[in-house]
Amino acid sequence: GRASRSEFWYFVLAAILLSLAASALDMALFGETETATLSTDTGEAASASVSGPTPIGGLVGLALFLPLLAANWRRLHDTGRAGWWCLLPHAIGVIGLVLGMVLGGSAALLEGFDPGPAAEAVAAGGVGLLVLGILFAPAVAYIVLIVWLASRGEPGANRFGPPPHGA
């Protein structure tokens, strides 16, 4: 089926509000974030924030996962695109992670045999691809996806069915 822009965005708004309420309830019941003190190799103390348990937020996120995926899918259908496009940012992130790990792993092997500029270049390339693949490329894909989700749907029937609400 297809979902209109208003139907989709009101559902997303409701999901965000429900998630915020679950986070507030988690904080009220289980406390706020905790600060852990760690010692480094040099003997200095470093502090890090560690979030507390979020069982209610986790359950709400789990309950909303499939409905949000279905809403994305239906909204993309309204714009004439296949629903599989909503998985694009995740696929790009996984590919970038795998490439970064492979190149980073090959750099570690190279360092064992010939620690030199070539090994450093491959290691830097692996880290660069890791950052590019995990942060930048999926962010661009999310921006494209949001533009598609916010764009006007096709006015008439398309291959995914009639327009939502007979519009």
Side-chain angles (χ1 to χ4, degrees):
R2 295 168 58 175
S4 66
R5 280 192 288 186
S6 61
E7 176 186 352
F8 173 75
W9 289 111
Y10 281 126
F11 181 71
V12 169
L13 177 64
I16 289 170
L17 293 176
L18 188 60
S19 296
L20 288 174
S23 294
L25 194 56
D26 275 334
M27 285 175 55
L29 293 176
F30 302 106
E32 294 187 31
T33 59
E34 303 168 5
T35 303
T37 304
L38 309 168
S39 62
T40 61
D41 293 338
T42 60
E44 298 175 9
S47 63
S49 285
V50 180
S51 62
T54 58
I56 297 169
L59 289 174
V60 167
L62 189 62
L64 287 175
F65 174 72
L66 284 178
L68 280 170
L69 181 64
N72 275 283
W73 210 274
R74 292 178 61 230
R75 180 69 199 123
L76 287 172
H77 280 182
D78 190 45
T79 64
R81 293 172 181 86
W84 291 104
W85 283 109
C86 67
L87 302 177
L88 179 66
H90 307 291
I92 290 173
V94 167
I95 290 169
L97 179 64
V98 169
L99 282 175
M101 288 172 50
V102 166
L103 288 178
S106 64
L109 289 175
L110 285 176
E111 285 181 23
F113 293 111
D114 182 14
E120 292 174 12
V122 172
V127 170
L129 271 178
L130 194 63
V131 169
L132 181 69
I134 294 176
L135 300 176
F136 183 70
V140 170
Y142 274 119
I143 291 169
V144 169
L145 188 62
I146 289 170
V147 168
W148 285 349
L149 293 171
S151 65
R152 180 170 288 153
E154 293 183 344
N158 64 15
R159 63 186 172 135
F160 303 107
H165 311 297

